Amino acid sequence: MEILNYINGEWLKPEASSYFEVINPATGQIEAKTPIGSALDVAKAALAAQAALAGWKHTPAQDRIQYLFRLKTLLESNIEQLAETITRECGKTLEEARAEMRRAIENVEVACGIPMMSKGEVIEDIAPGIDELMLRQPVGVCATIAPFNFPGMIPFWYLPYAIALGNTYIMKPSEKVPMTMVLIFRLIDQLGLPKGVINMVHGTKDVVDALLEHPSVRAITFVGSSNTARYIYRKAAEHGKRVQAQGGAKNPVVILPDADMEMATKIIADSAFGCAGQRCLAVSWAVTVGEARNPFLESICDAAATRKVGYGLDEGTQMGPVISRENQQRIEQLIGLGVKNGAGIPVDGRNAKVSGYENGAFVRPTILTDVQPDNPLSTTEIFGPVLSMIHATSVEEAIALANRNSYGNQASIFTSSGAAARKFRNEVEAGNIGINIGVAAPMAQFPFSGWKDSFFGDMHGQGMDAVEFFTQKKVIVERWPRDWARKF
Ligand code: NAD
């Protein structure tokens, strides 16, 4: 597939002198080459988006959302091709890829309610003859910088809201997985949108920096690792932009002795090993309390050892590869570091061989035990199919362990005690909480929250938070001369 920019309604060759190879992580074959674009590409996209803004922001919201209704239908009728492309470039199973696209479509559906969600407020007679109004107006040109792990879904936490609210938009996909967005932009191209409303540029740091610095770009949303998120947040703020930056995670799960162990094991295995552990909501650190330890350890080891690993397009595959050979090596080194620092390793997924896919970046599910708080693995994001375990004697101790973490994306508890679950959800420091849920992914009506080092900013993506982020409020206090005359 040729990877081109989409600017002002045209497919354009990026101003690139180098390319990033998009390698199918299961087969090792090159699927595409991402052009590493430049500031010149960003300048063209920003010019197009700025030029489109005046007409688009005055288009009635009711008319703007008609494009989203069409986009929803197109996404639905192309979901198989999109899912297959996600599997080919990102490695997850076809079923996981379909679920990802379903989540993307849900955001389009919610954004179709923007005319209702973005209504302003009026208070009449705040003083005799004086009314006060609050309007929401678009911010201007907005941009999103996306990570590799959900190439189809994450842009939809922002894109449909941004444009339905009258903003124009520039998308920068991850250079590792550009193909899904190219396919989606081929659908966007069929919508008949005014030129320049939605644009796409490809590249890495130079393109990102150009977006952060360009005066026409007024708001930036970012999703990726915490180090990059921190950088984006600082630099965008320095350049006077509205910014939200979602970062990495190290999500704890607490298992109490009264949990339904069969259910807990199945759900926790799906959370820890689904998408090969490359979900920002994957549980990666299990804290067993009291007598939960032995039954949970036994059943999770069994689930890890029997999970069917392979190419996501092959039937029956339960877990695909990680994104690249480099990441495979990084994950294996981290497992080694954990063991060196005293962890046990009852299930070791290193040096995985998958028949027929000898060039794939496979790491099998791995269980590490006794990962004490001073073990670097208790705080390091691994982003692979690795579940680290530790034991606690009480729910209080488990919550304290969970809160030691500098991240705060998600925390889960498995229990049949309402009181314990309530204490957990009140006291644990994370933006998304799962109670007998392994991946507490908020539906599109809710913000995709995140706390501590997992999020830099204020307003989040999705739902009403997206309405807040992609609009600026204007308050008007008004009086009319006739009312004035009547009074005096
Ligand atoms: P990443 O930070 O390496 O890259 C994300 C984006 O930033 C890419 O588009 C990339 O081109 C760009 N980028 C990378 N380095 C940059 C730099 N130095 N300067 C400017 N731009 C740069 O992240 P990734 O490896 O693609 O994604 C995995 C990470 O994303 C994990 O840490 C995961 O937890 C996180 N993530 C978080 C959420 C969330 O909602 N909190 C969701 C998904 C993924």
Side-chain angles (χ1 to χ4, degrees), residues 145-149 154 157 172-176 203-205 208 222-225 228 231-232 246-249 280 381 383 409 448 454:
I145 299 147
F148 78 79
N149 63 329
I154 285 176
W157 293 348
K172 205 297 278 177
S174 163
E175 65 280 8
K176 295 173 189 163
T204 53
K205 187 171 168 35
V208 172
F222 169 86
V223 182
S225 55
T228 323
Y231 168 76
I232 301 277
Q246 309 237 149
C280 66
E381 179 179 41
F383 222 53
N409 221 31
F448 197 103
S454 296

Side-chain angles (χ1 to χ4, degrees), residues 164-351:
L165 287 159
N167 301 280
T168 55
Y169 190 77
I170 305 172
M171 172 69 214
K172 205 297 278 177
S174 163
E175 65 280 8
K176 295 173 189 163
V177 292
M179 298 197 304
T180 307
M181 258 310 127
V182 169
L183 275 187
I184 289 173
F185 268 70
R186 285 182 190 166
L187 304 179
I188 287 173
D189 190 46
Q190 296 172 33
L191 297 178
L193 271 164
K195 287 182 189 310
V197 170
I198 308 183
N199 308 274
M200 173 167 62
V201 289
H202 294 283
T204 53
K205 187 171 168 35
D206 285 352
V207 164
V208 172
D209 283 344
L211 286 168
L212 297 173
E213 287 166 12
H214 199 288
S216 294
V217 178
R218 300 308 313 141
I220 296 275
T221 67
F222 169 86
V223 182
S225 55
S226 286
N227 279 344
T228 323
R230 202 177 277 111
Y231 168 76
I232 301 277
Y233 183 67
R234 283 197 188 125
K235 191 166 170 115
E238 208 175 280
H239 286 269
K241 300 185 197 318
R242 183 175 285 192
V243 54
Q244 57 169 289
Q246 309 237 149
K250 181 84 195 171
N251 303 315
V253 55
V254 170
I255 303 112
L256 297 191
D258 64 1
D260 177 328
M261 227 31 98
E262 200 185 323
M263 178 181 88
T265 306
K266 186 182 173 328
I267 293 174
I268 292 170
D270 285 347
S271 174
F273 311 133
C275 297
Q278 300 173 122
R279 268 195 291 230
C280 66
L281 295 177
V283 300
S284 60
W285 205 46
V287 186
T288 49
V289 175
E291 287 162 12
R293 180 186 195 159
N294 291 342
F296 180 71
L297 178 61
E298 198 178 313
S299 57
I300 196 74
C301 284
D302 187 48
T306 55
R307 203 160 186 95
K308 192 163 179 302
V309 178
Y311 187 16
L313 290 186
D314 292 344
E315 202 145 327
T317 298
Q318 291 176 307
M319 193 185 99
V322 296
I323 186 69
S324 63
R325 291 298 279 258
E326 294 76 56
N327 263 34
Q328 175 196 352
Q329 282 161 15
R330 189 188 61 83
I331 292 163
E332 294 190 347
Q333 276 164 11
L334 281 170
I335 295 171
L337 181 70
V339 173
K340 201 168 136 212
N341 280 275
I345 182 157
V347 184
D348 185 351
R350 290 173 292 182
N351 306 312

Side-chain angles (χ1 to χ4, degrees), residues 121 133-139 242 459 467-468 471-476:
E121 290 166 14
L133 299 74
M134 189 275 285
L135 310 180
R136 287 181 183 277
Q137 296 192 329
V139 178
R242 183 175 285 192
M459 295 159 272
V467 174
E468 285 289 325
T471 53
Q472 46 194 344
K473 292 175 194 148
K474 185 178 271 178
V475 175
I476 300 141

Side-chain angles (χ1 to χ4, degrees), residues 101-152:
M101 283 317 303
R102 197 54 248 161
R103 286 265 172 178
I105 293 165
E106 279 164 16
N107 272 288
V108 179
E109 290 165 351
V110 169
C112 285
I114 285 294
M116 185 70 191
M117 292 159 79
S118 59
K119 280 194 312 183
E121 290 166 14
V122 181
I123 300 180
E124 273 189 333
D125 294 319
I126 51 153
I130 299 180
D131 301 334
E132 189 153 336
L133 299 74
M134 189 275 285
L135 310 180
R136 287 181 183 277
Q137 296 192 329
V139 178
V141 179
C142 303
T144 290
I145 299 147
F148 78 79
N149 63 329
F150 280 92

